[in-house]
Amino acid sequence: MNHIKDLCAFLDASPVNFWAVDTAKNLLENQGFRRLDMSAGWTLAPGDKRYVVQNGSAIFAFIVGDGNPSAGFNIISAHSDSPGFRIKPASEIPCEGGAVKLNTEVYGGPILYTWFDRPLSVAGRVALRSENPLRPRMELMRIERPLLTIPHLAIHFNRAVNEGNPLSKQKDMLPVIALDCPKPKGLIRSLISENLDVDPDDILDYDLSLYDTERAGTVGLEDEMICSGRIDDLSMVHAAITALIDNVDKDSGYTRVAAIFDNEETGSGTKQGAGSPILEHILRRITGCLGGTEQDFMRAVANSFMISADNAHGLHPNYVEKQDPTNHPVLGGGPCVKINANCKYMTDADSAAVFRSLCEMAGVPCQYFVNHSDVAGGSTLGNILTSQIPLRGVDMGAPLWAMHSVRETASTMDHIATIAAFSTFFSL
Ligand code: ZN
């Protein structure tokens, strides 16, 4: 049950992408991983445990292999971001009647109405003035106490609300922060100043988002389900980091890598996303530090394998017709290999066979997810990464319900099974 307690703690400590990376970083530091900067020169020796943070919202942790620069990389990738609401600049809107609401912009594809009537708060990072105009000081910020709510319209003003209710992101979804505020302009700035104990004039900008303050927890007769925000994809981030840490004392010929990207929910097209060459740069530098040539790097890539870990859709008891008729991944049935004939996923028979073998070795079940042929599925990290580095690999994920709800549901057993499969992979 410890892995589940740890997962809940991980989710609670990670309200947004920047905090997820910081939480992962702390777990890694506790196990002797040391930070490397992309702007510094690197020297690496076999067995070194290192990590790189990109933009504060992506993290790449690795244990250097036994010294052969062409041996290859065993990689698990996942993403740090989740759909939600970002606070816009100049966001305070004083309203008739005195209440103050905040102007926000939707990030990714949240299920909007799940965000209504909840104790929300604010987390992210703030850019502060420093000596160097090119390098503002970046500080994490999280307001712990519930601070906002997005109140739903009473049913008496919209009797048809239960018959389908289209929502405007600009009108319906703005959170209320105060009933009466003498100086609404600059409210966010003064909250930041108070929270970080800094001069308001030194606050240059911020990346702040809303989060649900309700904590992660289990439900079900046997506590067999976990309910939380951000299970997609922080459960896979947690599994990848846990598996890497499980294997810190095990030698391997492979360099083992946990690659946690940002911005999967908006298409991965940023310098910290899977569409950037950041992972390739890191792998190339590791090869170079082991004395490898360009040819060794190409050989290492050919000798590598990647598990692209992003949650899958489990069979929903109220909507079984949405799933493929012969492949029904269920919550509690183990991690799922994701397959798509049109190559939205990187999985093929070769890579699915590898994952299945890993599950067999770990003694855990393995399922398959294939889209119902009339339903367009989502995409994920795998294929975007392989356009940068031609890796063999598999797309997989533990199944969940209500993907992109403010509170998703997954199986505790599947999480334990996923960690076991990942740990087996990193033990090779
Ligand atoms: Zn995801």
Side-chain angles (χ1 to χ4, degrees):
M1 208 52 190
N2 248 350
H3 280 326
I4 300 308
K5 260 173 85 181
D6 292 348
L7 172 61
C8 288
F10 188 88
L11 290 161
D12 290 337
S14 309
V16 296
N17 53 353
F18 300 106
W19 283 90
V21 163
D22 192 63
T23 309
K25 185 197 87 174
N26 291 337
L27 292 174
L28 292 160
E29 289 258 350
N30 286 342
Q31 296 297 323
F33 284 77
R34 293 288 163 258
R35 184 170 182 148
L36 286 173
D37 277 318
M38 289 304 275
S39 59
W42 294 7
T43 43
L44 292 171
D48 277 354
K49 296 173 282 184
R50 298 289 183 268
Y51 70 91
V52 175
V53 172
Q54 173 85 333
N55 189 48
S57 61
I59 186 165
F60 305 88
F62 55 89
I63 306 171
V64 180
D66 68 4
N68 173 1
S70 59
F73 304 94
N74 279 348
I75 304 165
I76 301 176
S77 62
H79 65 90
S80 64
D81 60 323
S82 313
F85 295 84
R86 229 186 103 114
I87 299 175
K88 287 178 177 173
S91 64
E92 303 89 350
I93 305 177
C95 305
E96 194 176 335
V100 180
K101 59 187 182 179
L102 295 186
N103 194 4
T104 59
E105 186 170 8
V106 170
Y107 175 83
I111 303 178
L112 293 175
Y113 65 82
T114 62
W115 283 77
F116 282 119
D117 308 320
R118 284 181 173 274
L120 305 174
S121 201
V122 171
R125 66 172 183 177
V126 176
L128 300 166
R129 198 180 303 284
S130 78
E131 316 264 273
N132 181 351
L134 293 176
R135 296 276 165 201
R137 186 157 68 88
M138 305 306 294
E139 286 278 344
L140 286 176
M141 188 183 103
R142 172 184 189 166
I143 296 178
E144 295 277 346
R145 70 187 169 97
L147 189 67
L148 310 116
T149 184
I150 307 175
H152 207 287
L153 182 65
I155 194 167
H156 311 81
F157 294 126
N158 181 9
R159 297 279 179 187
V161 64
N162 293 327
E163 280 123 57
N165 184 34
L167 295 170
S168 155
K169 292 167 186 164
Q170 190 64 63
K171 176 172 174 64
D172 296 297
M173 302 311 300
L174 300 188
V176 176
I177 190 166
L179 289 183
D180 183 24
C181 178
K183 269 176 53 191
K185 293 287 168 210
L187 190 61
I188 291 294
R189 194 167 283 268
S190 55
L191 272 170
I192 296 170
S193 146
E194 196 180 297
N195 197 269
L196 295 181
D197 196 16
V198 293
D199 187 333
D201 286 342
D202 286 339
I203 301 165
L204 294 173
D205 214 322
Y206 52 76
D207 289 318
L208 292 175
S209 299
L210 306 186
Y211 77 95
D212 177 16
T213 59
E214 205 177 329
R215 300 182 90 76
T218 53
V219 295
L221 207 51
E222 309 278 348
D223 287 320
E224 65 269 48
M225 291 169 268
I226 175 164
C227 232
S228 169
R230 310 173 296 282
I231 290 179
D232 168 19
D233 193 30
L234 296 189
S235 64
M236 294 298 103
V237 172
H238 176 256
I241 299 290
T242 303
L244 189 65
I245 285 172
D246 273 356
N247 284 286
V248 281
D249 295 325
K250 251 200 199 119
D251 295 333
S252 173
Y254 298 106
T255 292
R256 291 157 287 176
V257 185
I260 313 303
F261 294 92
D262 191 11
N263 303 124
E264 191 277 338
E265 301 293 356
T266 54
S268 299
T270 59
K271 65 190 177 306
Q272 60 276 4
S276 87
I278 175 76
L279 181 62
E280 189 214 320
H281 287 185
I282 291 169
L283 302 184
R284 205 180 271 280
R285 288 182 79 165
I286 296 170
T287 307
C289 285
L290 294 177
T293 60
E294 185 62 16
Q295 186 163 184
D296 289 320
F297 176 67
M298 302 289 179
R299 290 176 65 196
V301 168
N303 288 328
S304 297
F305 192 83
M306 180 169 72
I307 297 174
S308 158
D310 198 356
N311 291 90
H313 301 296
L315 183 71
H316 192 303
N318 294 346
Y319 306 96
V320 291
E321 73 283 2
K322 293 286 182 191
Q323 289 264 357
D324 179 72
T326 62
N327 294 281
H328 293 114
V330 295
L331 268 62
C336 297
V337 168
K338 301 198 260 183
I339 303 169
N340 180 263
N342 295 304
C343 308
K344 287 252 172 76
Y345 300 129
M346 70 191 300
T347 312
D348 54 21
D350 167 54
S351 60
V354 171
F355 192 74
R356 194 172 166 154
S357 301
L358 292 172
C359 288
E360 271 175 27
M361 278 176 75
V364 300
C366 171
Q367 317 184 75
Y368 289 85
F369 174 84
V370 185
N371 280 315
H372 184 290
S373 299
D374 296 331
V375 177
S379 63
T380 180
L381 299 166
N383 272 351
I384 292 168
L385 268 171
T386 49
S387 65
Q388 297 291 334
I389 322 168
L391 290 163
R392 281 171 77 217
V394 62
D395 268 305
M396 58 69 65
L400 51 75
W401 294 329
M403 188 179 283
H404 294 188
S405 167
V406 74
R407 220 168 158 79
E408 300 162 326
T409 300
S411 143
T412 53
M413 281 314 296
D414 291 344
H415 190 63
I416 292 164
T418 302
I419 291 173
F422 287 2
S423 200
T424 300
F425 177 52
F426 278 151
S427 74
L428 298 175

